[in-house]
């Protein structure tokens, strides 16, 4: 959830600053963080420019963290919050991607690395044909930081606020709704050069609301296994096991990869998606400490 960045429980969401969260703000428990210390660029928080240190002791006083290995249901974090409603009962506020999966799952378990551009790859990423790996855009497409053969994890972010989808994760809240309930639907894709693969534009937002008046994507992925539902946090490279996110997010992560056509990602950017997403982002490394994970029910 890189959806992972919102002004929740009194935290301020700044859209213009360029620094990562201050060390002081990151070291305090969630209920003592001063809003003035957390003002930082949404892109840095969610898609973080600088990796936080992974060598420090585990953070203390925070709720369950994300990402995780969704095959392991164990967790010792006792912070509980109500699970978010189903997506159809919430407003879509953002769609973004991470290059390589932040989570680890049955279909994406190949470890790529431990940096901003690390994470996990789809299991069959090494078995693509020469044509499937050919980049028809030669690295010059409208959607950056992604090529055929890459794995991406896509996050559809939902908010309880009465808002419309827009640019940045700031669209997930408003002046009158600063403490939203948040949910992320996640799907990992293997990017290929294949017009018969999935068309990413079909999972975008076309200005439509459902019968209940909630903004929705045209569709969510299906056929990739029963999603794993759990309590977690926001993600992104600015956070580690020693630098935790204070925000509460309901996650629903599909366990298998699907193939998506590289050209459709570029079309999504070229067509001017309402989120102004023009590149895929970095990852937060897997959270493995049981003390930082919720039990999967």
């Amino acid at each position: 959830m890189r959806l992972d960045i919102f002004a929740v429980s009194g935290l301020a969401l700044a859209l213009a600053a360029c620094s990562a969260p201050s060390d002081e703000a990151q070291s305090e428990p969630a209920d003592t963080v001063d809003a003035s210390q957390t003002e930082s660029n949404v892109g840095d928080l969610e898609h973080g420019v600088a990796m936080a240190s992974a060598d420090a002791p585990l953070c203390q006083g925070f709720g369950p963290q994300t990402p995780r290995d969704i095959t392991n249901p164990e967790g010792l974090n006792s912070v509980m919050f109500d699970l978010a409603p189903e997506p159809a009962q919430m407003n879509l506020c953002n769609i973004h991607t991470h290059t390589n999966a932040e989570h680890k799952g049955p279909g994406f378990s190949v470890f790529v690395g431990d940096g901003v551009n690390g994470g996990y790859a789809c299991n069959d990423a090494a078995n693509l044909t020469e044509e499937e790996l050919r980049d028809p855009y030669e690295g010059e497409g409208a959607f950056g930081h992604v090529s055929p053969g890459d794995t991406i994890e896509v996050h559809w972010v939902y908010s309880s606020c009465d808002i419309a989808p827009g640019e940045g994760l700031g669209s997930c809240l408003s002046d009158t709704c600063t403490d939203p309930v948040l949910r992320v639907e996640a799907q990992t894709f293997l990017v290929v050069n294949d017009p018969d693969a999935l068309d990413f534009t079909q999972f975008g937002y076309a200005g439509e609301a459902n019968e209940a008046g909630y903004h929705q994507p045209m569709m969510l992925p299906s056929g990739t296994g029963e999603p794993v539902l759990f309590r977690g946090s926001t993600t992104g490279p600015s956070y580690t096991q020693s630098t935790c996110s204070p925000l509460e997010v309901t996650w629903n992560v599909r366990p298998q990869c699907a193939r998506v056509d590289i050209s459709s990602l570029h079309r999504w950017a070229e067509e001017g998606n309402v989120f102004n997403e023009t590149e895929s982002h970095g990852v937060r490394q897997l959270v493995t400490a049981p003390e930082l994970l919720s039990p999967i029910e």
Side-chain angles (χ1 to χ4, degrees), residues 215-232:
H215 297 281
Q216 299 289 304
M218 288 183 282
M219 67 171 66
L220 287 171
S222 60
T224 50
E226 183 68 24
V228 179
L229 185 72
F230 60 91
R231 295 172 177 85

Side-chain angles (χ1 to χ4, degrees), residues 48-118:
V49 174
M51 286 290 293
S53 172
D55 298 328
L58 295 179
C59 58
Q60 301 291 324
F62 288 82
Q65 298 295 297
T66 312
R68 67 182 298 161
D69 181 348
I70 61 172
T71 69
N72 183 1
E74 297 180 0
L76 299 177
N77 193 286
S78 61
V79 175
M80 298 291 288
F81 53 88
D82 291 338
L83 293 171
E86 292 294 317
Q89 301 172 37
M90 304 181 74
N91 279 309
L92 176 74
C93 56
N94 185 262
I95 301 173
H96 67 266
T97 81
H98 300 261
T99 294
N100 295 319
E102 292 193 293
H103 291 86
K104 180 182 180 183
F108 36 99
S109 61
V110 179
F111 184 61
V112 175
D114 58 4
V116 172
N117 298 315

Side-chain angles (χ1 to χ4, degrees), residues 44 73 76 86-88 109 116 158 174 185 189 193 199 226 284 290-291 295:
D44 285 352
L76 299 177
E86 292 294 317
S109 61
V116 172
Y158 292 80
S174 68
E185 297 287 320
F189 292 99
N193 176 40
D199 181 346
E226 183 68 24
R284 178 184 184 178
E291 300 91 332

Side-chain angles (χ1 to χ4, degrees), residues 236-249:
S238 293
Y239 296 119
T240 66
Q241 294 194 141
S242 61
T243 304
C244 285
S245 165
L247 306 184
E248 298 174 345
V249 180

Side-chain angles (χ1 to χ4, degrees), residues 22 53 73 83 95 130 152 172 194 203 222 256:
S22 70
S53 172
L83 293 171
I95 301 173
E130 182 177 347
I152 60 172
C172 297
D194 182 359
F203 302 110
S222 60
Q256 300 295 333

Side-chain angles (χ1 to χ4, degrees), residues 148-164:
D150 287 345
T151 293
I152 60 172
E153 182 175 315
V154 181
H155 295 163
W156 289 261
V157 191
Y158 292 80
S159 171
S160 61
C161 292
D162 183 15
I163 48 80

Side-chain angles (χ1 to χ4, degrees), residues 180-205:
V181 174
L182 301 170
R183 179 184 180 110
V184 178
E185 297 287 320
Q187 171 67 56
T188 299
F189 292 99
L190 179 57
V191 180
V192 294
N193 176 40
D194 182 359
D196 293 327
L198 293 174
D199 181 346
F200 189 73
T201 64
Q202 295 181 351
F203 302 110
Y205 174 70

